């Protein structure tokens, strides 16, 4: 639910029904100018850096380089650490040399300590230090004055750090209330050698800085944020010569390719509950992943800014070669001035800790990032089906009627959802005794049909001494504290609420234990969970969230951990579902707030969107941006959460949602009911067809998620990931790929009569999955569409496994046979994969799985194991093989090891060049060869 409540007043929290016509009130959220640290940092304009590296202080150990940096203006010293890391990565850390107190370093996000590689000094003069970064492929140049880092691949300058002189580091300090107080010890000795006028000028400058608004406390609207150790922001700039296209840093409702921010606010990363967000701007939304990717035809690289505080990211276009080093490199490389993108990161607190992911391919960058933060969790199979949700299904009878409606209209679905009204007075882990008096009976009814339920559990806890959850959290002292040490309280759905401190591992363990069947009364193994409002949302807080000077476990202020809060809630909930099964079953948990590493715990959705065509359209780049930063399990509320979709929009959204990873319809409390069968018979038929297409492709979806889990390959991916040298695809975000084999271009315009399709690559061939019409690439093609059209194309050279028998849900399809769709490339070849396991447990980690490879070449289709360690018995057999782009064969035979060749029946459609082989009859787990002669 969104934070429109703030517009209506706290007195109405209990009774108000939000008006869907409202839109975001920008005045409730800060601009850069209103965020004092962003304002201060932006005042520092590009130029010669105030910092220099004391190369004489360099220390080289087995795993890192240490060099002191000094600010020539303030004489404050910093410590630079550079690490060469295994897998073609570099880590750069900058901290205070002698901080007043420790600065916050983000815990629990990295899956392990990155493996270092030896650095090797290869050259040095008075102002430059040259090193190899682990391997001899990349070289690091450290320039002393002004301080700068450059990374080269061979003779190519790949990335520069602080080349624009924007390194910014505000040290912790004690407040000086009078001019007579002693100046900082770090400047005292130098004052003795300075002239009186110079000392006086420096003191006056410091006094002005100390008195600047926002340094020691900061007021936004009616809220004041205290800063007992003063300002502590950090910032650093990166220059990317040769790069014009940058991506990532979600979550923003914007295009896939990031815009320049020279004339706008920077992109903001600060998890917020934003009511009916606006589109195509840089405002913060529900989640934050501080990973930026850059791509050109030569390479892909990533910048992972490892900081959980409020962060702003400025992006500007420039021209490489304006520096002496740049001109020298251009001379060496024989080139002219090249385009350049400059990126500036600014965070409110913490330290500078950044990983440079050097690729050089897109897949390399995905693997490098995954080696740091983990891969997408392997979801339970059912969660890839269709989810039916609204705020709220009224009671148990309503749930039964909706469930029966799907069967009556022969529409498949897997999961029905309950929002906040299902709980007793919005006390989570409970059920309303009047509306849901027998939850186990309700869940049992769903289980008998092999279906599931998801219920919401939010992280704001109603303050009620009779509420067990609240009483136990308070008794354990697990709530977030105010700066004065009392329990932090705010307003949310239950009214007055307190907020568990999920940064505390003991609190997370306790929360996880609450999902046990003996603790969560009425729960069963087919009940799963949804975490909303976990930014955290505080209706009466600054920017509808928690005060930054609230205090967490370990004494850390909320400003340090803000963007981690949602990840911790998600993690504790997922671990709770695992715990309740004795560690055997995979969880399903949806979260709204997220951070780097959230992919390890489940799914994400794009929040409280609206029933508007532009919101349908923006769902594509929003999910693509998340996929690029490791979060593949993404979707948008089908139909739009707010407002009432016209029938055409609702239908097109179902068609688009069927080809997005997370597929859920959701609607606001005030909207009319919009179950799939309520829009006329003709539209019901079209929605059913879209859902049946989704279910037929579930084997392919599941295989893609396995590849995401194992190898960090995005499930839904931009065209340039597969075609990295196709410049025409670099800014494309109205169409995308599922895996490497399916190109999808949803219809996202009202009254559309056609869509412009771009077929990427050179020497590629694409087939319409509905008509098998063949198209060669590269080309742009106008595809006429009707209301039944979902433009989807299979790539020549791919083999896709499907299950084409319609059922009521995914579990009912478990033992159904497969069909292989073999799409031949121009060389008459194709290959594909199939991953199978039990679909719900962790047994695959004990090698209980099936991973098959299918290859077609020279008229021969073979099936073999991709992983001989995997063993999984299945009754699934091969029902059909459809070969697209083929010539008419004379005969088709099947051979299995130890057996003789068996003649197979087939049909050939000369108009579409398609062979259909009926009932090969082999078990899908077996090795076989099919000869097409």
């Amino acid at each position: 639910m969104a934070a429109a409540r703030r517009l209506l007043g706290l007195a109405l929290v209990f009774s108000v029904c939000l008006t869907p016509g409202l839109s975001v009130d920008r005045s409730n959220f800060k601009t850069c100018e209103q965020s004092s640290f962003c304002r201060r940092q932006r005042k520092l304009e590009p130029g010669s850096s105030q910092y220099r590296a004391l190369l004489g202080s360099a220390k080289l150990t087995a795993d890192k380089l240490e060099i002191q940096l000094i600010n020539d203006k303030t004489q404050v010293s910093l410590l630079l650490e550079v690490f060469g890391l295994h897998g073609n990565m570099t880590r750069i850390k900058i901290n205070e040399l002698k901080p007043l107190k420790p600065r916050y370093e983000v815990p629990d996000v990295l899956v392990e300590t990155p493996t270092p590689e030896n650095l090797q000094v290869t050259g040095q003069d008075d102002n430059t230090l040259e090193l190899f970064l682990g391997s001899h492929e990349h070289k690091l140049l450290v320039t002393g004055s002004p301080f700068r880092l450059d990374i080269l691949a061979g003779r190519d300058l790949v990335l520069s750090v602080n080349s624009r002189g924007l390194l910014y580091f505000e040290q912790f300090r004690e407040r000086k209330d009078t001019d007579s107080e002693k100046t900082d010890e770090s400047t005292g000795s130098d004052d003795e050698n300075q002239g009186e006028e110079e000392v006086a000028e420096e003191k006056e400058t410091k006094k002005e800085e100390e008195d600047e608004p926002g340094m020691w406390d900061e007021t936004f609207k009616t809220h004041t944020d205290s800063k007992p150790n003063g300002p502590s922001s950090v910032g650093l700039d990166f220059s990317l010569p040769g790069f014009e296209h940058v991506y990532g840093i979600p979550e923003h409702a914007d295009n896939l390719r990031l815009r320049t921010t020279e004339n706008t606010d920077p992109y903001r990363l600060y998890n917020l509950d934003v009511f009916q967000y606006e589109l195509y701007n840089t405002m913060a939304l529900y989640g934050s992943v501080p990973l930026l990717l850059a791509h050109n035809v030569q390479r892909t690289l990533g910048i992972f800014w490892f900081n959980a505080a409020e962060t702003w990211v400025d992006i500007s276009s420039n021209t490489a070669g304006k520096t002496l080093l740049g001109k020298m490199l251009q001379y060496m490389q024989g080139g002219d001035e090249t385009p350049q993108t400059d990126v500036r990161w600014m965070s409110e607190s913490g330290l500078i800790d950044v990983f440079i992911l050097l690729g050089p391919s897109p897949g390399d960058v995905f693997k490098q990032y995954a080696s740091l933060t983990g891969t997408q969790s392997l979801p339970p199979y059912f969660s890839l089906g269709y989810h039916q949700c609204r705020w709220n299904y009224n009671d148990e009878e309503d749930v039964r009627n909706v469930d029966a409606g799907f069967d009556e209209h022969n529409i498949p679905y897997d999961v029905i959802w309950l929002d906040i009204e299902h709980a007793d007075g919005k006390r989570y882990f409970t059920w309303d005794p009047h509306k849901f008096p027998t939850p186990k009976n309700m869940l049992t009814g769903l289980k008998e049909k092999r279906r599931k339920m998801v219920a919401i559990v939010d992280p704001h806890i109603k303050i009620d001494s009779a509420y067990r959850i609240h009483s136990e959290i308070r008794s354990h002292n697990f709530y977030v504290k105010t700066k004065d040490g009392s329990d932090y309280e705010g307003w949310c759905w239950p009214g007055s609420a307190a907020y568990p401190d999920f940064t505390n591992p003991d609190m997370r363990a306790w929360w996880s234990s609450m999902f046990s069947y003996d603790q969560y009364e009425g729960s069963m193994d087919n009940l799963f969970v949804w975490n909303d409002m976990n930014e955290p949302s505080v209706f009466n807080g600054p920017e509808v969230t928690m005060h930054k000077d609230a205090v967490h476990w370990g004494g850390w202020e909320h400003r340090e951990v803000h963007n981690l809060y949602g990840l911790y809630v998600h993690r504790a909930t997922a671990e709770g579902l695992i715990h309740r099964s004795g560690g055997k079953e995979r969880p399903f948990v949806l979260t709204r707030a997220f951070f780097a590493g959230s992919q390890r715990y489940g799914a994400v959705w794009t929040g409280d969107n609206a029933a508007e065509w532009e919101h349908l359209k923006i769902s594509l780049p929003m999910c693509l941006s998340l996929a690029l930063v490791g979060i593949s399990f993404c979707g948008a509320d089908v139909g739009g959460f707010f407002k009432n979709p016209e029938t055409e929009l609702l239908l097109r959204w179902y068609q688009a949602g069927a080809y997005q990873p997370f597929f859920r319809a959701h609607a606001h409390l005030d909207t009319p009911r919009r179950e799939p069968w309520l829009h006329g018979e003709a539209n019901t038929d079209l929605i059913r067809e879209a859902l049946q297409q989704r279910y037929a492709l579930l084997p392919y979806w599941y295989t893609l998620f396995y590849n995401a889990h194992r190898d960090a390959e995005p499930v839904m991916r931009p065209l340039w990931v597969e075609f990295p040298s196709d410049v025409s695809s670099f800014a494309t975000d109205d169409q995308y790929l599922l895996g490497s084999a399916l190109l999808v271009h949803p219809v996202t315009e009202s009254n559309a009569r056609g869509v412009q399709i771009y077929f990427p690559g050179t020497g590629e061939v694409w087939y319409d999955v509905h008509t098998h019409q063949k198209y060669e690439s590269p080309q742009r093609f106008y595809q006429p569409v009707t209301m039944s059209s979902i433009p989807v194309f299979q790539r020549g050279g791919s083999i896709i496994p499907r299950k084409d028998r319609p059922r009521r849900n995914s579990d009912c399809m478990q033992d159904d046979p497969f069909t292989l769709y073999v799409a031949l490339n121009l060389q008459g070849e194709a290959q594909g994969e199939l991953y199978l396991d039990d679909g719900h447990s962790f047994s695959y980690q004990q090698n209980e799985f099936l991973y098959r490879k299918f290859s077609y070449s020279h008229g021969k289709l073979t099936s073999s194991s991709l992983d001989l360690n995997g063993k999984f018995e299945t009754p699934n057999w091969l029902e059909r093989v459809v070969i697209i782009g083929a010539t008419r064969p004379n005969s088709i035979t099947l051979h299995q090891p130890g057996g003789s060749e068996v003649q197979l029946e087939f049909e050939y459609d000369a108009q579409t060049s398609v062979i259909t082989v009926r009932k090969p009859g082999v078990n899908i787990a077996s090795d076989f060869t099919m000869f097409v002669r």
Side-chain angles (χ1 to χ4, degrees):
M1 264 57 64
R5 292 66 68 177
R6 61 187 178 277
L7 303 173
L8 304 172
L10 296 178
L12 301 179
V13 164
F14 298 105
S15 59
V16 70
C17 290
L18 305 185
T19 305
L22 296 175
S23 60
V24 65
D25 182 353
R26 283 173 171 262
S27 70
N28 283 312
F29 303 100
K30 288 182 179 180
T31 63
C32 177
E33 184 64 23
Q34 293 169 317
S35 179
S36 66
F37 82 89
C38 185
R39 181 178 67 246
R40 288 194 303 274
Q41 291 211 31
R42 263 193 160 185
K43 284 182 180 178
L44 178 63
E45 296 183 351
S48 183
S49 178
Q50 297 177 356
Y51 287 89
R52 56 190 169 90
L54 305 179
L55 298 185
S57 70
K59 295 180 182 178
L60 185 64
T61 62
D63 61 349
K64 68 180 176 180
L65 169 72
E66 291 184 356
I67 298 179
Q68 289 186 34
L69 308 179
I70 190 165
N71 186 314
D72 283 329
K73 180 179 178 182
T74 66
Q75 297 299 300
V76 170
S77 294
L78 304 176
L79 178 64
L80 166 71
E81 296 175 287
V82 180
F83 303 79
L85 299 179
H86 177 72
N88 215 17
M89 298 181 289
T90 300
R91 186 178 193 178
I92 299 167
K93 296 179 73 173
I94 301 177
N95 199 353
E96 294 185 54
L97 185 63
K98 297 179 179 179
L100 186 66
K101 65 176 187 178
R103 296 183 72 108
Y104 188 73
E105 298 192 49
V106 178
D108 300 320
V109 169
L110 300 183
V111 291
E112 60 184 5
T113 302
T115 304
E117 289 201 344
N118 290 334
L119 302 174
Q120 179 184 348
V121 174
T122 56
Q124 184 172 2
D125 59 26
D126 291 342
N127 199 41
T128 306
L129 182 65
E130 179 186 281
L131 304 96
F132 279 131
L133 292 172
S135 70
H136 287 188
E137 182 179 353
H138 286 93
K139 184 182 296 184
L140 175 70
L141 299 181
V142 183
T143 301
S145 181
F147 166 62
R148 169 180 173 144
L149 301 176
D150 294 283
I151 297 178
L152 292 82
R155 293 158 54 107
D156 295 332
L157 177 61
V158 175
L159 173 144
S160 297
V161 180
N162 201 42
S163 63
R164 301 168 70 217
L166 298 176
L167 170 59
Y168 196 96
F169 207 108
E170 295 177 323
Q171 75 276 18
F172 286 135
R173 67 201 78 179
E174 295 177 351
R175 190 164 192 171
K176 312 290 191 227
D177 292 323
T178 67
D179 289 342
S180 61
E181 287 193 68
K182 219 174 157 182
T183 58
D184 193 302
E185 291 179 6
S186 64
T187 65
S189 60
D190 289 327
D191 286 349
E192 297 173 4
N193 299 320
Q194 292 176 315
E196 291 184 7
E197 291 184 8
E198 190 176 346
V199 171
E201 183 180 340
E202 186 174 308
K203 286 183 177 180
E204 183 61 29
T205 300
K206 285 189 176 183
K207 185 176 186 302
E208 289 175 3
E209 289 176 350
E210 296 286 318
D211 293 340
E212 183 177 331
M215 297 283 283
W216 296 93
D217 54 61
E218 185 169 353
T219 299
F220 179 68
K221 302 188 87 166
T222 61
H223 304 281
T224 298
D225 168 29
S226 63
K227 303 177 184 180
N229 290 117
S232 57
S233 75
V234 297
L236 191 60
D237 66 280
F238 300 81
S239 295
L240 307 172
F243 290 95
E244 295 182 85
H245 295 81
V246 291
Y247 313 89
I249 56 170
E251 182 177 35
H252 301 95
D254 207 354
N255 292 317
L256 175 65
R257 180 191 181 187
L258 299 175
R259 65 181 65 209
T260 59
T261 59
E262 290 144 313
N263 299 311
T264 70
D265 262 4
Y267 283 97
R268 192 183 187 197
L269 296 174
Y270 191 61
N271 296 359
L272 292 172
D273 179 2
V274 182
F275 165 76
Q276 197 173 320
Y277 48 84
E278 291 183 6
L279 309 184
Y280 304 107
N281 65 51
T282 60
M283 289 179 66
L285 287 179
Y286 311 99
S288 302
V289 182
L291 171 63
L292 179 141
L293 287 82
H295 177 73
N296 62 23
V297 294
Q298 279 84 32
R299 62 173 50 88
T300 309
L301 61 83
I303 302 172
F304 177 32
W305 180 262
F306 195 33
N307 191 302
E310 177 188 352
T311 297
W312 299 78
V313 186
D314 254 329
I315 298 171
S316 58
S317 297
N318 208 327
T319 304
K322 294 183 177 179
T323 66
L324 179 61
L325 176 61
K327 290 178 179 177
M328 178 184 71
L329 289 168
Q330 285 171 2
Y331 174 77
M332 291 167 60
Q333 295 163 14
D336 297 323
E337 288 189 347
T338 59
Q340 175 171 300
T341 297
D342 296 318
V343 182
R344 180 184 193 177
W345 301 80
M346 300 169 281
S347 291
E348 184 179 17
S349 197
L351 47 78
I352 293 173
D353 189 357
V354 59
F355 293 87
I356 309 299
L357 316 179
L358 292 166
S361 73
D364 291 330
V365 171
F366 301 145
K367 287 182 173 65
Q368 288 156 1
Y369 179 67
S371 73
L372 300 173
T373 68
T375 61
Q376 177 69 56
S377 60
L378 182 61
Y381 197 87
F382 79 82
S383 65
L384 301 181
Y386 173 64
H387 301 248
Q388 181 66 39
C389 184
R390 74 173 280 111
W391 176 28
N392 202 84
Y393 286 117
N394 300 322
D395 49 34
E396 291 180 7
E397 182 181 7
D398 197 8
V399 170
R400 284 192 295 270
N401 290 338
V402 172
D403 177 68
F406 279 90
D407 294 334
E408 179 182 345
H409 295 90
N410 195 28
I411 299 173
Y413 96 105
D414 268 81
V415 193
I416 190 165
W417 291 51
L418 296 180
D419 212 316
I420 57 174
E421 312 301 334
H422 85 278
D424 181 9
K426 301 177 180 65
R427 298 170 179 86
Y428 305 110
F429 298 99
T430 71
W431 305 84
D432 186 297
H434 305 292
K435 299 176 182 178
F436 297 91
T438 58
K440 282 194 174 180
N441 290 345
M442 175 179 62
L443 289 165
T444 298
L446 291 170
K447 190 170 185 177
E448 287 172 351
K449 294 185 177 182
R450 303 165 79 169
R451 289 179 175 140
K452 280 76 178 174
M453 173 173 278
V454 168
I456 198 167
V457 179
D458 287 347
H460 49 260
I461 303 301
K462 182 178 180 65
I463 297 176
D464 175 359
S465 59
Y467 177 27
R468 180 177 65 90
I469 298 295
H470 165 68
S471 297
E472 289 197 22
I473 295 175
R474 175 160 286 178
S475 70
H476 289 299
N477 201 29
F478 281 161
Y479 279 127
V480 176
K481 306 301 179 186
T482 67
K483 62 181 179 179
D484 299 319
S486 59
D487 288 348
Y488 180 90
E489 296 181 10
W491 286 76
C492 210
W493 290 119
S496 184
Y499 291 78
D501 185 0
F502 285 90
T503 69
N504 184 340
D506 293 335
M507 167 60 214
R508 294 198 301 272
W510 177 90
W511 179 268
S512 295
S513 73
M514 290 300 101
F515 291 96
S516 297
Y517 300 123
D518 60 347
Q519 296 291 329
Y520 190 170
E521 186 177 351
S523 65
M524 292 176 53
D525 60 0
N526 64 331
L527 179 67
F528 297 87
V529 182
W530 166 24
N531 293 145
D532 198 0
M533 315 297 287
N534 54 337
E535 291 75 25
S537 179
V538 183
F539 293 168
N540 61 332
E543 300 193 89
V544 203
T545 193
M546 190 171 285
H547 291 72
K548 288 182 174 179
D549 56 7
V551 181
H552 289 263
W553 178 71
W556 297 107
E557 287 187 303
H558 184 71
R559 81 182 75 252
E560 308 279 5
V561 306
H562 176 83
N563 287 342
L564 282 174
Y565 191 86
L567 175 143
Y568 276 134
V569 176
H570 196 196
R571 171 182 172 174
T573 304
E575 289 175 348
L577 296 191
I578 296 170
H579 173 78
R580 75 177 185 183
S581 71
K584 296 178 181 178
E585 298 295 311
R586 283 176 254 163
F588 172 76
V589 183
L590 178 72
T591 183
R592 190 170 70 177
F594 53 85
F595 188 66
S598 288
Q599 66 271 14
R600 306 200 298 265
Y601 306 114
V604 165
W605 94 105
T606 62
D608 297 339
N609 58 2
E612 298 173 358
W613 286 95
E614 287 299 314
H615 275 265
L616 166 58
K617 189 180 299 183
I618 205 72
S619 69
L620 277 63
M622 289 183 75
C623 280
L624 286 170
S625 294
L626 283 163
L628 288 176
V629 300
I631 301 177
S632 272
F633 207 177
C634 169
D637 287 345
V638 169
F641 179 67
F642 289 110
K643 302 185 179 181
N644 305 316
E646 58 194 87
T647 301
E648 181 192 7
L649 172 59
L650 183 64
L651 172 60
R652 291 302 192 194
W653 215 317
Y654 267 104
Q655 293 172 338
Y659 286 90
Q660 291 181 1
F662 177 57
F663 187 19
R664 181 186 74 154
H666 188 33
H668 186 277
L669 184 70
D670 283 348
T671 62
R673 297 293 282 259
R674 54 168 101 140
E675 283 73 39
W677 53 86
L678 298 178
H679 314 281
E681 185 176 351
N683 291 307
T684 299
D685 291 343
L686 293 174
I687 293 173
R688 180 189 303 110
E689 169 59 26
L691 268 68
Q692 287 178 346
Q693 289 186 37
R694 168 64 169 224
Y695 276 79
L697 282 168
L698 285 182
Y700 181 63
W701 280 106
Y702 198 55
T703 301
L704 293 181
F705 269 94
Y706 176 69
N707 289 333
H709 177 61
R710 188 192 63 180
D711 294 327
E713 297 178 3
V715 171
M716 178 182 182
R717 60 190 70 163
L719 303 186
W720 61 261
V721 170
E722 284 297 317
F723 301 96
S725 60
D726 188 338
V727 178
S728 298
S729 72
F730 287 2
T732 299
D733 59 13
D734 59 352
Q735 63 183 65
Y736 56 90
L737 293 165
L738 292 178
S740 61
L742 284 182
L743 186 151
V744 184
H745 192 308
V747 180
T748 59
E749 300 282 351
S750 177
N751 300 313
R753 298 293 177 265
V755 294
Q756 285 285 347
I757 309 257
Y758 175 65
F759 294 111
T762 300
E764 299 278 346
V765 60
W766 300 85
Y767 300 93
D768 187 311
V769 299
H770 308 295
T771 66
H772 304 311
Q773 177 70 40
K774 177 180 176 181
Y775 303 91
E776 294 187 15
S777 66
Q779 68 163 302
R780 295 191 183 274
F781 170 73
Y782 180 79
Q783 170 89 359
V785 297
T786 65
M787 285 306 298
S788 64
S789 302
I790 311 177
V792 181
F793 302 85
Q794 184 173 348
R795 184 180 181 182
S798 68
I799 300 176
I800 290 179
R802 293 174 40 143
K803 288 188 174 183
D804 287 336
R805 296 186 182 184
R807 304 287 187 185
R808 66 168 57 173
N809 57 54
S810 65
D811 204 37
C812 291
M813 302 171 68
Q814 183 176 357
D815 295 337
D816 281 353
F818 286 92
T819 296
L820 297 181
Y821 285 78
V822 181
L824 302 183
N825 61 18
L826 294 177
Q827 292 74 43
E829 298 176 343
Q831 60 182 11
E833 300 173 359
L834 172 66
Y835 174 79
L836 276 181
D837 59 22
D838 64 18
H840 60 86
S841 79
F842 287 105
S843 295
Y844 72 92
Q845 295 178 347
Q846 281 73 52
N847 294 326
E848 294 183 23
F849 65 85
L850 189 70
Y851 193 28
R852 305 294 298 178
K853 178 180 180 180
F854 306 107
S855 297
Y856 188 96
S857 180
H858 303 293
K860 188 166 60 175
L861 174 66
T862 60
S863 172
S864 59
S865 176
L866 265 174
D867 190 334
L868 295 176
N869 293 319
K871 305 293 181 185
F872 183 70
E873 293 186 4
T874 174
N876 300 118
W877 55 285
L878 185 58
E879 183 175 36
R880 286 189 308 161
V881 175
V882 179
I883 306 173
I884 308 165
T887 57
R888 181 188 297 273
N890 295 317
S891 68
I892 298 179
T893 59
L894 182 75
H895 178 262
Q896 289 186 268
S900 57
E901 286 192 25
V902 178
Q903 198 77 25
L904 298 178
E905 295 183 3
F906 68 90
E907 298 172 0
Y908 181 74
D909 186 329
Q911 187 172 356
T912 58
S913 301
V914 172
I915 303 169
T916 302
V917 185
R918 305 282 183 187
K919 296 184 179 179
V922 293
N923 188 285
I924 201 67
S926 62
D927 291 349
F928 66 83
T929 301
M930 183 182 295
F931 296 94
V932 182
R933 299 183 174 96

